[in-house]
Amino acid sequence: MGIMFSVNQVALLFILLSVTWRVCADDYRSMLVSSGDPIMFRCNISSRDATQIIWIKGRSYFTHSVSLNQTFSNFSSPRVTIDHNLPTKLSISGAQPEDAGLYTCSISGVYGVNSMKWNLTVSETTHRPWYFVYILTPAIGLLLCGVMSVVCLCRKFRTRTPNGDPVQNQDPPQPGEEVPLRQGHRANNKKRSQYKERLNSIYGHM
Ligand SMILES: *[C@@H]1O[C@H](CO)[C@@H](O)[C@H](O)[C@H]1NC(C)=O
Ligand SMILES: *[C@@H]1O[C@H](CO)[C@@H](O)[C@H](O)[C@H]1NC(C)=O
Ligand SMILES: *[C@@H]1O[C@H](CO)[C@@H](O)[C@H](O)[C@H]1NC(C)=O
Ligand SMILES: *[C@@H]1O[C@H](CO)[C@@H](O)[C@H](O)[C@H]1NC(C)=O
């Protein structure tokens, strides 16, 4: 009778364990965030009468003993913070792909241990189309503006050049720089015409 009972108990325990194991194994919340997003995990299972709060992520470990008011943590990422006064919250400021993984929070109380799990996936692509839209539209706008202004400038120059030097013809003569240059030009012309006359006279004699 006693043996039967214990066998039944073991079977029941086994069933219970497998059920709880399965529930625990599957009982994580999937979280898909984009790189750079802030994240907060709220371990909001009843923390009344809690004696210990534990956070685990990979090899990182945080534990807070309520009765001793003692905290140990070897979470080394500067992005991860767990408020020592309210250790049921873990926040990540700007998630990066290396923050992805399974986060577990366990709260031990007089009733036993309760835990919550999050499977964090940090994607680099989810918001990328939006980034592209935000970056590309102004870029394309700027590019169009640049092309338009270049086209306009080209047209202006093209319409001006057939009339000869529009700048020298239209602008009033400026004192200082322009005048000696023009005088030099005239002097050159004079020299040239004198040279031509000389050539003519030489060739004319021949
Ligand atoms: C815990 O928080 C989630 C939302 O973050 C809410 O849906 C859920 O009901 C909360 N659970 C408890 C026990 O407060
Ligand atoms: C953090 O501490 C736990 C327990 O002492 C240890 O197993 C783990 O390797 C440590 N992790 C790091 C990243 O130091
Ligand atoms: C726990 O210790 C911190 C300092 O490490 C102190 O600021 C806080 O008031 C303490 N809390 C309790 C409930 O004793
Ligand atoms: C977490 O989610 C990712 C993708 O959503 C999946 O590949 C991975 O196996 C999950 N991790 C666990 C422990 O279930």
Side-chain angles (χ1 to χ4, degrees):
M1 206 35 203
I3 290 164
M4 282 275 285
F5 185 70
S6 66
V7 162
N8 273 348
Q9 264 193 329
V10 165
L12 193 72
L13 200 73
F14 181 75
I15 289 165
L16 268 176
L17 269 177
S18 63
V19 164
T20 47
W21 179 80
R22 226 175 42 202
V23 164
C24 281
D26 294 335
D27 189 23
Y28 61 72
R29 289 130 210 264
S30 294
M31 277 191 83
L32 174 65
V33 299
S34 294
S35 172
D37 282 356
I39 295 157
M40 171 156 327
F41 295 131
R42 246 176 234 277
C43 193
N44 63 354
I45 41 183
S46 168
S47 56
R48 218 157 52 88
D49 304 322
T51 55
Q52 197 175 32
I53 298 168
I54 296 168
W55 284 95
I56 297 166
K57 195 268 166 177
R59 284 169 52 85
S60 299
Y61 187 81
F62 171 97
T63 173
H64 176 79
S65 164
V66 177
S67 53
L68 298 174
N69 190 20
Q70 261 181 5
T71 302
F72 165 82
S73 172
N74 62 10
F75 271 89
S76 54
S77 168
R79 294 183 294 276
V80 176
T81 47
I82 301 165
D83 188 354
H84 286 209
N85 291 318
L86 190 68
T88 53
K89 273 199 263 177
L90 180 149
S91 39
I92 304 172
S93 63
Q96 294 300 310
E98 59 262 34
D99 296 327
L102 210 59
Y103 289 77
T104 309
C105 151
S106 304
I107 297 185
S108 316
V110 283
Y111 48 82
V113 182
N114 261 321
S115 59
M116 273 178 92
K117 288 182 180 138
W118 294 266
N119 183 4
L120 179 68
T121 311
V122 182
S123 103
E124 281 186 290
T125 50
T126 320
H127 281 179
R128 199 165 264 184
W130 290 106
Y131 285 138
F132 268 124
V133 166
Y134 285 135
I135 293 166
L136 270 187
T137 26
I140 287 173
L142 273 175
L143 204 75
L144 276 177
C145 278
V147 167
M148 292 285 273
S149 50
V150 164
V151 165
C152 284
L153 277 175
C154 280
R155 273 192 190 166
K156 259 187 193 172
F157 273 115
R158 238 180 244 167
T159 46
R160 269 187 181 188
T161 36
N163 305 343
D165 232 343
V167 183
Q168 277 197 6
N169 286 349
Q170 287 163 9
D171 285 359
Q174 282 168 5
E177 291 165 323
E178 281 261 333
V179 179
L181 200 136
R182 279 193 179 179
Q183 278 177 345
H185 198 66
R186 264 176 212 162
N188 262 356
N189 275 357
K190 242 184 193 174
K191 268 185 196 166
R192 242 182 241 163
S193 55
Q194 279 173 353
Y195 181 68
K196 264 186 191 167
E197 271 170 24
R198 261 189 227 157
L199 264 181
N200 280 349
S201 61
I202 289 166
Y203 281 100
H205 282 297
M206 279 179 77

